[in-house]
């Protein structure tokens, strides 16, 4: 893998500013380099622990994302590592991940190769459990997380997409702007190796249309009959929501979509108008519930809502 990814030495830069448990690093390969922080839980004593790679949104920094999501606190409480790659303005003037460019949608090329490479460096350096490596992102980071799930399903055991887009929704900036407003015009390529996926998308998002969340969960579904559980609930902040849980018979594959309350689910492609483990080693070494069984030929797509249920207006770009 090192040869294929063109891995260069990781530069160790010390501690991240104002975050004593976060270590500053830089990873580089033939596609470029990116700085990133790694949060190390205080209880780490060398035994394998999970890793979550967090991809920030447009105009954010990795530090902004760490503070805004509170993932360091959660990682300390539950005992896992968190990596926060940073997209520099030299790569994109808006600090957006380049999920919409063809050269950044391919395995062993561009930004996917850099993110996969730094993930594997962390797995090696800290003895991470390679079966419990995850990737998640917000907005452009959510779209980039979808790219990583499609291009490196052998590395990531699951993916989280907040206000993002399906892999392959656009191939240029103009197509990206169109897809953000209305969803992908052409059906993005279906996953050949489905990665368990959780999608959040707010119905008040005026930057990335909620239809993109429906397309992202549709893309992730395996081509088998699924059991669908729809759960109505309300967050501690008073926001009503619908949680749709999609499960493959036997429980081999499961994904979720969180959406606005009182909105009916669709399962499958719709054009615009507990963490799992990998079963194999990675390439890195009070709520009302309705349960349905939906044959694959009748699926149309599942509903959406915001990841931060107390902040339904939150969106990136």
């Amino acid at each position: 893998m090192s040869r294929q990814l063109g891995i260069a030495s990781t530069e160790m830069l010390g501690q991240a500013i104002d975050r004593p448990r976060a270590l500053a690093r830089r990873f580089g390969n033939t596609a470029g380099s990116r700085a990133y922080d790694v949060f190390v839980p205080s209880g780490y004593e060398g035994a394998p622990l999970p890793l979550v790679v967090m991809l920030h949104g447009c105009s954010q920094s990795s530090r902004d994302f760490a503070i805004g999501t509170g993932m360091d606190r959660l990682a300390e409480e539950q005992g896992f590592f968190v990596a926060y790659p940073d997209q520099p303005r030299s790569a994109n003037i808006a600090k957006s991940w380049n999920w919409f460019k063809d050269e950044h949608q391919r395995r062993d090329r561009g930004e996917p190769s850099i993110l996969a490479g730094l993930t594997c460096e962390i797995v090696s350096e800290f003895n991470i459990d390679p079966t419990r490596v995850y990737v998640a992102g917000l907005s452009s980071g959510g779209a980039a997380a979808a790219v990583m799930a499609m291009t490196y399903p052998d590395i990531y055991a699951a993916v989280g997409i907040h206000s993002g887009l399906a892999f392959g929704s656009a191939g240029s900036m103009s197509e990206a702007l169109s897809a953000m407003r209305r969803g992908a015009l052409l059906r993005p390529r279906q996953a050949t190796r489905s990665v368990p996926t959780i999608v959040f998308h707010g119905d008040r998002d005026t930057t990335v249309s909620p239809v993109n969340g429906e397309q992202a969960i549709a893309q992730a579904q395996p081509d088998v009959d699924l059991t669908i559980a729809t759960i109505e609930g309300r967050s501690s902040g008073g926001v009503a929501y619908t949680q749709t849980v999609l499960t493959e018979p036997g429980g081999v594959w499961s994904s979720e979509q969180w959406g606005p309350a009182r909105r009916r689910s669709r399962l499958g492609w719709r054009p615009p108008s507990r963490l799992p483990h990998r079963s194999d080693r990675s390439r890195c070494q009070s709520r009302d519930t309705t349960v349905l069984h939906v044959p694959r030929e009748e699926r149309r797509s599942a509903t959406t809502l915001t990841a931060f249920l107390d902040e339904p207006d939150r969106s990136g770009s």
Side-chain angles (χ1 to χ4, degrees):
M1 179 174 183
S2 297
R3 179 179 58 82
Q4 290 177 313
L5 292 176
I7 291 176
S9 300
T10 296
E11 185 178 357
M12 300 184 182
L13 304 176
Q15 292 181 333
I17 298 175
D18 299 330
R19 295 167 60 213
R21 299 298 309 173
L23 304 177
R25 297 285 193 269
R26 176 174 288 276
F27 172 85
N29 64 12
T30 55
S33 69
R34 295 293 184 274
Y36 63 96
D37 292 343
V38 182
F39 177 84
V40 182
S42 61
Y44 176 64
E45 296 180 349
L49 292 178
L51 166 67
V52 179
V53 180
M54 295 284 288
L55 304 178
H56 64 76
C58 179
S59 79
Q60 293 182 320
S61 68
S62 57
R63 185 174 181 273
D64 294 335
F65 202 40
I67 294 171
T69 59
M71 283 294 287
D72 287 1
R73 174 185 55 78
L74 192 63
E76 178 67 15
E77 292 174 356
Q78 299 194 11
F80 60 89
F81 283 73
V82 189
Y84 301 93
D86 192 72
Q87 179 75 316
R89 292 196 184 279
S90 59
N92 184 292
I93 191 63
K95 290 180 64 65
S96 169
W97 299 98
N98 292 301
W99 56 271
F100 51 87
K101 294 183 177 180
D102 182 70
E103 63 267 32
H104 299 296
Q105 297 177 0
R106 296 175 179 270
R107 186 182 179 96
D108 298 332
R109 298 289 187 274
E111 289 174 1
S113 75
I114 298 172
L115 295 173
L118 69 84
T119 298
C120 290
E121 284 289 283
I122 298 168
V123 170
S124 177
E125 179 181 356
F126 293 101
N127 191 30
I128 300 295
D129 181 349
T131 69
R132 293 190 290 169
V133 177
Y134 313 97
V135 61
L138 167 68
S139 197
S140 76
V147 171
M148 298 310 296
M150 288 288 284
T151 54
Y152 291 95
D154 50 346
I155 291 180
Y156 301 102
V159 58
I161 303 171
H162 177 352
S163 303
L165 299 91
F167 169 83
S169 294
S172 67
M173 176 61 79
S174 61
E175 290 181 5
L177 294 173
S178 174
M180 288 164 63
R181 289 191 299 268
R182 296 184 291 271
L185 295 177
L186 300 177
R187 181 171 184 162
R189 178 164 61 88
Q190 197 71 14
T192 55
R193 182 174 175 179
S194 298
V195 172
T197 301
I198 187 166
V199 170
F200 301 94
H201 210 121
D203 60 351
R204 300 183 191 177
D205 191 336
T206 59
T207 303
V208 181
S209 170
V211 70
N212 288 287
E214 297 179 358
Q215 293 177 351
I217 197 70
Q219 183 177 65
Q221 295 171 26
D223 188 24
V224 297
D225 293 355
L226 297 174
T227 298
I228 313 298
T230 302
I231 304 168
E232 302 290 341
R234 187 173 296 274
S235 75
S236 59
V239 177
Y241 63 86
T242 299
Q243 176 190 6
T244 302
V245 182
L246 304 86
T247 306
E248 185 177 356
V252 176
W253 179 94
S254 180
S255 289
E256 296 185 18
Q257 188 171 16
W258 293 65
R262 298 178 299 278
R263 179 175 178 179
R264 299 193 59 87
S265 296
R266 300 180 182 89
L267 299 176
W269 167 255
R270 184 166 81 93
S273 58
R274 130 202 110 84
L275 294 175
H277 289 56
R278 289 194 51 77
S279 60
D280 55 340
R281 293 187 66 82
S282 77
R283 193 182 180 207
C284 292
Q285 294 282 344
S286 66
R287 297 181 297 183
D288 296 328
T289 303
T290 302
V291 178
L292 305 172
H293 182 70
V294 182
R296 61 179 178 271
E297 62 271 15
E298 297 179 10
R299 298 205 312 265
R300 287 191 179 155
S301 182
T303 44
T304 63
L305 183 70
T306 179
F308 306 130
L309 291 172
D310 295 339
E311 303 177 63
D313 290 321
R314 184 171 185 143
S315 64
S317 58

